[in-house]
Amino acid sequence: MTETRKTKLGADHPDTLMSMANLVSTYSNQGWWEEAEKLKVQVMETFQTKLGADYPDTLTSMNNLAFTWKGIGRHQDALRLIQTCSEFQQRLLGPNHPHTQSKLTSLPASRDARCHETSL
């Protein structure tokens, strides 16, 4: 489906990007972390270029990539990306929006996990 959308709609069309994001879920569920990470980076970068860094789909893709990085041990990268995502969401949605609050509550957990890991 993803290849068909790329051919018919173009690689940077939002529907193609959503298909790619869905494929990432399959890769992640199968434990194919390297493939998932590569595709998540591609999706995020294309969303940023095509729709802007503060577009909701871009923020979702940033968040998803951050949690993949956290899962594979790239805690510093994950924390930086979650912080960036949180800053965009605060500007876009305001500090009291549920999505913003969700990011803010995940930041301490990310910091705690990183500190715990480095102290082991």
Side-chain angles (χ1 to χ4, degrees):
M1 164 101 55
T2 300
E3 290 303 318
T4 301
R5 286 186 185 213
K6 278 184 187 178
T7 302
K8 299 283 183 183
L9 302 174
D12 62 353
H13 189 279
D15 290 344
T16 303
L17 294 171
M18 292 310 292
S19 289
M20 292 168 68
N22 291 336
L23 182 58
V24 165
S25 293
T26 301
Y27 287 169
S28 296
N29 290 337
Q30 296 296 319
W32 301 339
W33 300 112
E34 186 175 313
E35 294 87 347
E37 179 190 14
K38 286 178 189 176
L39 199 50
K40 280 184 182 183
V41 169
Q42 181 182 354
V43 168
M44 184 193 72
E45 288 175 348
T46 305
F47 270 134
Q48 284 178 325
T49 301
K50 183 77 173 172
L51 302 173
D54 60 353
Y55 192 79
D57 290 338
T58 305
L59 296 174
T60 298
S61 68
M62 290 169 73
N63 184 66
N64 292 343
L65 178 58
F67 280 93
T68 295
W69 283 347
K70 183 180 175 189
I72 61 174
R74 291 179 59 183
H75 296 285
Q76 291 285 56
D77 293 328
L79 183 58
R80 277 192 294 275
L81 194 55
I82 286 288
Q83 287 172 325
T84 300
C85 186
S86 176
E87 290 166 10
F88 280 123
Q89 283 193 317
Q90 284 184 48
R91 284 197 300 265
L92 182 67
L93 304 172
N96 296 320
H97 190 280
H99 291 156
T100 304
Q101 290 297 311
S102 171
K103 295 296 170 296
L104 292 174
T105 58
S106 70
L107 282 172
S110 295
R111 284 189 193 108
D112 291 346
R114 185 199 61 204
C115 291
H116 176 69
E117 180 181 276
T118 57
S119 67
L120 293 178

